[in-house]
């Protein structure tokens, strides 16, 4: 492509004035006055805490989505010089002076504004005229819900931006001539944008799958195209595979790599992670475990953490309280000392590993390391009682054995305190027991019961701590029956008093523990997917059925002193038009499809192909972004519908164009139709203007005005009572 | 017809196909050319695939001299199938696993007692019928697994299920034979099913699964057969297979809702079929309309009619009151002999001082209920819970009281409650008043919380409710059972509402009651007075309006669907996940736990299951290669093209069937079990037959023909031997084991415990 013989270099610039115009208007509607209100608006309260943690480089886990979205928001904060010092606890709280509100909100606003020209470009790529493209972008421009969502520190506008970008660039790639090299750039851009979309929210996956579907059809046509030789086909297929599958996966990993490298301080969610993961963070557990001895030996003082983090992470615990003689339901217990699992760090979590054949409670030198298959006793550090289990029903799980710290009441209940160490992730049969790394099952020697967390909590007499049982029918691979040594030191003191002092002091000695990036990524990803947010209904949550007709809204912000307020409410006219367009499109498509099957050609082949492609992108985009919500059980909000809505709106000009050029035959009809379209557009503008007080929240309103704007009874409009 | 296609097959040399391909690529050759000249080429265009498939379809009917042998093989399959299922059918002579449910429900039919179950009635009805015909009298209580049958006649019910289960392999044989035209593929498929320990075990007990799978398999078979007759439309056999498909579909749906998946499969297949017919321009639109209507009748109307008939029979048989009453509306209960609403006799109008039960009008809405337990901390006010509850219980009783405490002078007739009156409802057992206040409800956060408040009927002004008859005017009397009533909270104006959401453990998994500020007239906010006890008023007999059959049908379906989605896994129970199933991760204990027990463990033969899993992957690769080579227009000879057709058409249908019977489980929130995979396994086994057979027949792609011939024979023999030997190894799982458990090294099964998660 080098045109070296053509000197001097000329630069040809084409400017599409229309495109420029809608872009400017987009910027105006989205960016105008975004510092207002200078208060926390709706979900800013949620994303804000993560932005703060980014600024402080503190590790966190957010199960709602991958980290790229938070990173983009944090970028805004970084550029604005935010120090992260703000308490994100209440919607409507005033921002303090150190919060750069404008730069926090500008990135979502910019992305939202750029969606407008992207809509224009998408129509162009689908082969429609400038007029059609203009209409698409105007509808997006005047969509109140998209504007509201763009103007605050929220992720949807960024998501929609990447979705549109991915589709536009893929269509560009498909349309570009075979020999141009720019097309590879478009293809790669499509992959990058898809990955970014998924990185912002998992929802991006839906559009990504649609894109993969389009790519599959494309590839299939390439395979069938006999005018291309095999090498070209293979090249194309491999390129698409690399750009649309390999590249996104790699980028996704890169997001996590960046996430984990930026956030290296320990933080509030440490406890959700494994000990090994926590040890890789600075501060927190690492401060405690740094320099622990690696191999557990006889005489070691340890805390044992349950591998299962359900319902909460906890440590094997005992304390000076016995099981009640009789439970509420009349069953009896051994009345021995309680053994529980306790979700907080406590001196009572310390246990001493003892060799049954010797009386020593200190580590000999050299230390005698415990191996897989060895039999040990576990002595509770503070009370000096042995971990024991016997054929007495456990308090909450009567089918399992009670676990206690043995007290001899002389009631012919023999001591049974021998445990076999079963290292599950061993690589050899004589593997030694390693701090943090080894996952251990403790099998009771007399009864083969396995020490296990039952998952239920004890009632008041057990201080609501978690129940620990001996499970006789333990089978398979259960996390609840696995433990690891978290804190560990070699015991030095012979006397009980000294030992108590020792237990109360922090651990010292030195070694470190490294976890590879992939291991950390897998663990974090797994946690994010498996942590279930509590399924509770929110005041503004809604069901997907309500979205189509906009039967629901979300109050984002209310002025502290008057009735000015911001709501997520869409442009009612646009929503209706989009619904009608979708219905008309489906009917037309079906009719044409059936008639074509009977070899009746109503429209030229090219128009049909164009219609199918536009439908696949717009109606398909709507379907993939909307229908899956019906199967989801999480709490849903109206803003989840916005990506689907964006695609649905783009269908409006497609259908109008089709009706205009293929269904209406006479010029007079077309003129009339033009008039109707103009009237509809004016209605859109009018509706935008009417609802805009709820969009920008700058107008003080009387209760009458509010009542006027409450077009649907189901909308929750806030009314301040004076 | 058959001869002609065979000629076509022979005459189609490589030379002619080249010529036609060029023609096809110009787009000139489309659908219609197939029938007239008998030669069809596989063109590169997708639209022509239908034609090539038609050709293959007929190609498979060529007499190949193996007809006689096929029949003998089929007879062998039938004998083996029945003997493996009926062997030791009476053991163990005690209740195994879910026999406790389905046997019990069979007994209910014999005793004509009304019950509630989440599955449609056909399966249990057939089990009941089988029991009835073989002399079981319905007296065995089926209390819990392990109970001895003693001298009750249980062999009939077990034998019936085993008989239906034994039909699966022969059906698979015929279906695969029809789809692939290869007896060896059919033999492999049926062999997999015969010698799978999972299928053997699941067929041997009184369960719904053999009945369900029988209907699924029969639907597949009749659909395939119907399809094979497509060149003789509207002939007698065409019609009979069509109608048979419809009958089997309604049977499958009548046993379990899983039957919906096979309906979906048949639906998709039929739609594709119609699509082909529509594209056939030699067929006039009228003819097409006939085709369409025939299918609508056979596959939609007929099954629907039969399905409704099943329910009609169900309701006619079960006419006595039983354990399922409370799940249904008051008017439904009045149909049942023995229910207190049957020929009800109670005071006609609601009066002060009466003891009442209040039932929500939502379908499967429960009784307004309260109990001594409080809402936990953090959930609104720490006051007594108010819920709705589906079972009849003394905690459902409420007293109707006036706004102010005025004890009625004894003896006098009490005042009647009127539309617009302000009343208090006092919970009889706990003497707390129905109460609401400005706290959000536990689950529906937009609503207010409803609690029980006060002591001995003394509370505050938030205990006052306005009672209104829907559609009534001020002063109207409230009719017991027949009036729809709204109960409005006086101070906040909200309406008593049952959201239908199940409370967590602290609420005993009963249903939430809240007070809704939105006054939409929905059944959720409407109630009726069901029981009405007032000794001071005369009881009047009146007939409650009997619901129509369609209302009963709708009601029972909604109750079933609610019941199904209500089967949530318990918190600390290990439940089976769909990804466990294809890898045979964990089975189910049917009988026995200890060393001394007679133990039966439902677990698939791992050799067969892993082979199936492997073949699913293999199939995807092979089908892709086949489709891509046709799409690319490679020059294939007729045999190879035949194999491509079998893979894409027959295999594709089976693969789709597997997907439809497997993937939906990932989206289900209800509790899942290992045996849910068995319908999918049917499809997977048939697919394995086709895949492996095609693979073995194409060994000549890599090897010399002579060697390939040997490879093919050897491969088939080896495969059958492996299946047989693995069955020999694992047969104790189905036919019972005693002695030490397998994790004990001294057990004979110890060496067979290939996965730690197996627990036999």
């Amino acid at each position: 492509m080098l045109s070296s013989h053509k000197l001097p270099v000329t630069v040809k610039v084409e400017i599409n004035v229309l495109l420029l115009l809608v872009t400017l208007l987009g910027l105006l509607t989205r960016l105008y006055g975004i510092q207002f209100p200078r208060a926390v608006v709706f979900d800013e309260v949620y994303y804000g805490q993560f932005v703060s943690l980014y600024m402080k480089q503190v590790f966190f886990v957010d199960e709602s989505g991958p980290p790229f979205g938070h990173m983009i928001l944090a970028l805004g904060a970084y550029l604005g010089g935010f120090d992260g010092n703000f308490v994100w606890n209440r919607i409507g709280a005033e921002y303090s002076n150190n919060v750069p509100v404008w730069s926090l909100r500008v990135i979502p606003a910019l992305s939202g504004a750029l969606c407008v020209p992207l809509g224009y470009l998408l129509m162009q790529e689908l082969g429609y005229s400038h007029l059609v493209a203009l209409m698409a972008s105007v509808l997006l421009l005047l969509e109140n819900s998209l504007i509201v969502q763009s103007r605050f520190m929220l992720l949807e506008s960024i998501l929609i931006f990447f979705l549109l970008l991915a589709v536009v660039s893929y269509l560009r790639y498909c349309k570009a001539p075979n020999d141009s090299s720019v097309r590879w750039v478009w293809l790669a851009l499509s992959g990058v944008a898809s990955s970014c979309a998924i990185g912002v929210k998992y929802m991006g996956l839906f559009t990504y799958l649609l894109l993969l579907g389009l790519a599959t059809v494309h590839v299939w046509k390439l395979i069938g195209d006999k005018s291309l030789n095999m090498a070209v086909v293979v090249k194309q297929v491999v390129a698409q595979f690399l750009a649309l599958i390999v590249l996104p996966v790699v980028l996704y990993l890169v997001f996590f790599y960046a996430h984990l490298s930026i956030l290296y301080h320990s933080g509030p969610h440490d406890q959700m992670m494994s000990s090994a993961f926590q040890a890789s963070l600075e501060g927190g557990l690492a401060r405690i475990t740094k320099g622990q001895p690696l191999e557990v030996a006889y005489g070691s003082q340890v805390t044992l953490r349950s591998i299962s983090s359900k319902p909460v992470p906890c440590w094997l615990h005992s304390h000076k309280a016995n099981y009640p003689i009789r439970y509420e339901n009349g069953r009896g217990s051994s009345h021995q000392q309680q053994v529980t699992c306790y979700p907080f760090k406590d001196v009572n979590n310390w246990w001493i590993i003892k060799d049954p054949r010797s009386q020593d409670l200190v580590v000999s030198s050299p230390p005698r390391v415990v191996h897989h298959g060895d039999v040990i006793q576990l002595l509770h550090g503070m009370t000096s009682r042995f971990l024991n289990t016997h054929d007495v029903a456990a308090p909450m799980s009567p089918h399992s054995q009670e676990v206690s710290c043995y007290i001899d009441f002389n009631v012919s209940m023999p001591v049974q305190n021998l445990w076999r160490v079963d290292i599950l992730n061993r690589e050899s049969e004589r593997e030694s027991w390693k701090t943090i790394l080894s996952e251990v099952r403790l099998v009771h020697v007399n009864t083969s019961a396995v020490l296990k967390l039952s998952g239920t909590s004890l009632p008041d007499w057990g201080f609501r701590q978690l129940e620990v049982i001996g499970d006789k029918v333990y089978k398979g691979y259960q996390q609840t029956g696995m433990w690891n040594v978290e804190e560990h030191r070699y015991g030095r003191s012979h006397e009980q008093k000294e030992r108590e002092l020792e237990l109360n002091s922090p651990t010292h000695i030195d070694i470190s523990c490294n976890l590879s990036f992939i291991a950390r990524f897998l663990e974090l990803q797994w946690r994010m997917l498996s942590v279930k947010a509590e399924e509770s209904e929110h005041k503004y949550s809604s069901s997907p059925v309500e979205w189509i007709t906009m039967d629901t809204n979300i109050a984002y912000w209310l002025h502290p002193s008057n009735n000015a307020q911001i709501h997520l409410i869409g442009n009612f006219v646009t929503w209706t038009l989009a619904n009608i367009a979708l219905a008309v499109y489906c009917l037309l498509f079906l009719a044409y499809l059936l008639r074509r099957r009977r070899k009746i050609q109503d429209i030229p082949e090219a128009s049909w192909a164009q219609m199918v492609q536009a439908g696949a992108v717009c109606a398909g985009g709507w379907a993939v972004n909307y229908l899956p919500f019906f199967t989801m059980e999480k709490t849903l909000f109206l803003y989840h519908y916005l990506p689907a809505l964006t695609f649905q709106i783009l269908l409006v000009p497609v259908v109008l164009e089709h009706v205009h050029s293929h269904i209406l035959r006479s010029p007079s009809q077309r003129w009339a139709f033009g008039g109707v379209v103009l009237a509809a557009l004016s209605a859109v503008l009018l509706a935008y203007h009417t609802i805009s007080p709820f969009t920008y929240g700058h107008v003080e309103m009387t209760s009458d005005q509010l009542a006027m704007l409450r077009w649907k009874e189901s909308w929750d409009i806030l009314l301040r009572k004076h | 017809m058959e001869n002609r296609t065979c000629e076509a097959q022979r005459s189609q040399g490589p030379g002619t196909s080249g010529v036609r391909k060029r023609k096809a690529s110009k787009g000139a050759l489309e659908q219609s050319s197939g029938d007239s000249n008998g030669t069809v080429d596989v063109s590169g265009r997708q639209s022509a695939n239908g034609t090539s498939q038609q050709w293959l379809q007929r190609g498979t009917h060529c007499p190949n001299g193996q007809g006689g042998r096929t029949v003998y093989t089929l007879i062998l399959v039938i004998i083996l199938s029945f003997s493996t299922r009926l062997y030791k059918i009476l053991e163990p002579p005690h209740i195994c696993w879910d026999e406790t449910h389905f046997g019990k429900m069979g007994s209910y039919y014999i005793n004509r007692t009304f019950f509630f179950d989440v599955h449609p009635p056909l399966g249990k009805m057939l089990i009941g019928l089988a029991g009835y015909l073989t002399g079981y009298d319905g007296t065995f209580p089926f209390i819990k697994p392990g109970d001895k049958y003693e001298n009750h006649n249980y062999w009939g019910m077990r034998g019936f299920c085993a008989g239906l289960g034994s039909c699966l392999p022969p059906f698979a044989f015929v279906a695969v034979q029809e789809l692939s035209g290869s007896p060896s593929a059919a033999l492999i498929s049926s062999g997999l099913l015969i010698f799978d320990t999972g299928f053997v075990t699941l067929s041997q007990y009184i369960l719904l699964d053999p009945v369900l799978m029988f209907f699924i398999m029969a639907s597949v078979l009749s659909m395939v057969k119907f399809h094979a007759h497509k060149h003789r439309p509207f002939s007698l056999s065409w019609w009979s297979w069509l109608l048979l498909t419809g009958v089997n579909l309604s049977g499958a749906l009548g046993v379990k809702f899983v039957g919906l998946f096979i309906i979906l499969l048949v639906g998709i297949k039929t739609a594709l079929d119609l699509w082909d017919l529509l594209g056939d321009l030699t067929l006039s639109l009228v003819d097409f309309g006939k085709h369409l209507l025939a299918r609508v009748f056979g596959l939609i109307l007929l099954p629907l009619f039969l399905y409704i008939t099943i329910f009609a029979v169900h309701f006619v048989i079960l006419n006595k009151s039983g354990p399922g009453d409370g799940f249904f509306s008051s008017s439904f209960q009045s149909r049942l002999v023995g229910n207190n609403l049957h020929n009800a006799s109670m005071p006609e109008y609601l009066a002060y001082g009466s003891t009442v039960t209040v039932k929500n009008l939502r379908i499967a809405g429960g009784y307004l209920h309260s109990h001594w337990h409080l809402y936990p901390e953090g959930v609104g006010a720490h006051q007594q819970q108010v819920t709705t509850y589906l079972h009849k219980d003394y905690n459902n009783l409420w007293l109707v009281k006036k706004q102010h405490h005025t004890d009625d002078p004894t003896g006098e007739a009490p005042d009647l409650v009127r539309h617009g009156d302000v009343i208090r409802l006092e919970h009889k057992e706990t003497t707390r008043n129905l109460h609401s206040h400005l706290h959000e409800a536990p689950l529906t956060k937009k609503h207010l919380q409803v609690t029980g408040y006060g002591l001995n009927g003394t509370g505050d002004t938030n205990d006052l409710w306005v009672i209104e008859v829907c559609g009534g005017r001020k002063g109207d009397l409230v009719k017991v059972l027949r009036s729809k009533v709204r109960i409005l909270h006086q101070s906040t104006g909200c309406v008593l509402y049952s959201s239908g959401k199940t409370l967590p453990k602290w609420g005993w998994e009963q249903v939430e009651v809240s007070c809704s500020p939105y006054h939409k007239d929905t059944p959720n906010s409407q109630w009726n007075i069901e029981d009405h006890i007032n000794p001071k008023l005369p009881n009047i007999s009146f007939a409650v309006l009997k619901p129509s059959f369609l209302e009963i049908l709708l009601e029972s379906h909604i109750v079933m669907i609610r019941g199904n989605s209500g089967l949530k896994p318990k918190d600390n129970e290990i439940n089976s996940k769909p990804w466990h199933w294809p890898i045979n991760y964990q089975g189910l204990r049917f009988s026995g736990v200890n060393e001394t027990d007679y133990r039966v463990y439902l677990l698939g033969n791992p050799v067969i299951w892993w082979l199936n899993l492997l073949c699913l992957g293999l199939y995807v690769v092979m089908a892709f290669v086949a489709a891509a080579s046709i799409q690319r227009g490679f020059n294939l000879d007729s045999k190879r093209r035949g194999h491509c057709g079998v893979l894409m058409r027959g295999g594709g249908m089976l693969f789709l069937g597997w997907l439809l019977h497997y993937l939906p489980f990932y989206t289900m929130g209800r509790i899942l079990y290992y045996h849910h995979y068995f319908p999918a396994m049917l499809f997977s086994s048939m697919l394995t037959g086709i895949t492996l057979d095609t693979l073995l027949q194409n060994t000549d792609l890599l090897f010399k023909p002579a060697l390939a011939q040997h490879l093919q024979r050897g491969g088939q023999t080896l495969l059958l031997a492996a299946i047989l030997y693995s069955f020999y190894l694992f047969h104790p799982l189905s036919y019972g084991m005693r002695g030490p458990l397998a994790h004990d090294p001294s057990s004979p099964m110890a060496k067979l415990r290939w996965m730690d998660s197996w627990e036999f």
Side-chain angles (χ1 to χ4, degrees), chain B residues 2-295:
Chain B
E2 289 187 346
N3 280 336
R4 194 146 57 88
T5 46
C6 284
E7 277 168 21
Q9 188 180 2
R10 254 175 268 131
S11 72
Q12 197 160 27
T16 52
S17 73
V19 175
R20 293 198 183 276
K21 195 181 300 149
R22 245 168 285 142
K23 212 170 151 193
S25 62
K26 278 185 227 151
L29 181 87
E30 285 287 351
Q31 293 295 318
S32 57
S33 57
D35 284 19
S36 52
N37 56 13
T39 53
V40 175
D41 200 285
V42 179
S43 82
R45 308 233 170 249
Q46 261 176 310
S47 57
N49 284 349
T51 342
S52 66
Q53 286 166 11
Q54 276 175 17
W55 170 79
L56 286 166
Q57 177 76 31
R58 277 173 291 159
T60 60
H61 283 281
C62 291
N64 46 16
Q66 289 184 325
R69 225 187 299 161
T70 311
V71 173
Y72 291 129
T73 324
L74 179 59
I75 291 172
L76 177 72
V77 165
I78 293 173
I79 293 171
L80 279 176
S81 175
F82 274 86
S83 48
T84 46
R85 267 73 177 165
L86 290 174
Y87 176 63
K88 281 193 169 183
I89 184 82
L90 294 180
E91 293 203 19
H94 58 242
I95 303 177
C96 289
W97 195 52
D98 270 0
E99 284 190 338
T100 175
H101 298 304
F102 302 120
K104 193 191 295 167
M105 290 165 186
S107 310
Y108 281 138
Y109 280 103
I110 296 175
N111 299 326
R112 309 191 66 175
T113 314
F114 190 76
F115 67 95
F116 164 71
D117 186 38
V118 295
H119 303 301
L122 181 64
K124 290 154 293 185
M125 232 151 44
L126 290 176
I127 288 171
L129 180 70
Y132 182 71
L133 292 180
T134 53
Y136 167 63
D137 53 4
T139 48
F140 187 68
F142 283 99
I143 292 171
K144 63 173 195 305
D147 289 357
K148 293 267 183 298
Y149 282 114
E150 308 289 348
N151 44 15
H152 290 275
N153 254 335
Y154 64 98
W155 63 268
M157 291 187 276
R158 276 201 186 163
F160 168 72
C161 291
L164 291 186
S166 309
C167 295
L168 303 177
F171 284 7
F173 184 91
V174 180
V176 172
Q177 162 80 27
E178 196 64 59
L179 285 174
S180 66
S182 156
S184 48
L187 184 62
I188 294 171
S189 302
S190 50
L192 293 175
L193 292 179
I194 293 174
F195 296 115
D196 180 56
T197 46
F199 277 106
V200 172
T201 312
L202 203 60
S203 302
Q204 286 196 315
Y205 301 95
I206 310 171
L207 301 173
L208 294 186
D209 303 80
V211 191
L212 172 73
M213 287 194 291
F214 170 81
F215 283 117
I216 289 179
M217 203 61 220
S219 306
V220 173
L221 176 63
S222 40
M223 172 179 76
V224 168
K225 277 286 184 189
F226 168 67
H227 204 71
H229 285 81
K230 71 176 185 178
H231 298 287
R232 290 192 290 146
F234 306 109
S235 63
L236 184 64
S237 49
W238 186 89
W239 269 112
S240 38
W241 286 118
L242 174 65
L243 297 183
L244 208 54
T245 313
V247 171
N248 287 321
L249 287 183
S250 66
L253 187 62
V255 177
K256 271 189 178 185
F257 286 124
V258 174
L260 278 174
F261 302 142
I262 182 71
I263 292 182
L264 208 56
L265 179 67
V266 173
I268 292 173
K269 182 80 181 158
T270 309
L272 291 177
D273 204 15
L274 284 172
W275 183 247
D276 281 344
L277 289 174
L278 186 66
D280 182 359
L281 292 186
T282 58
L283 211 62
S284 75
L285 270 185
V286 177
D287 289 336
F288 175 76
K290 282 186 197 160
H291 273 283
L292 180 67
L293 284 180
R295 284 167 177 81

Side-chain angles (χ1 to χ4, degrees), chain A residues 204-259:
Chain A
L205 210 56
F206 299 142
T207 312
Y208 175 64
L209 290 178
L210 178 72
L211 208 61
L212 285 187
L214 290 177
T216 311
V217 173
H218 186 215
V219 164
W220 196 243
K221 281 187 184 149
L222 282 178
I223 292 177
D225 187 350
K226 287 174 203 103
S227 64
L228 298 173
N229 66 28
M230 208 57 187
V232 175
V233 173
V234 169
K235 193 170 112 186
Q236 294 273 357
V237 173
V238 170
Q240 298 210 17
F241 178 76
L242 286 179
L244 296 180
I245 294 177
V246 177
L247 183 63
V249 170
V250 171
L251 260 184
Y252 189 75
L253 288 177
V254 168
F255 297 150
F256 271 87
Y257 187 78
H259 179 72

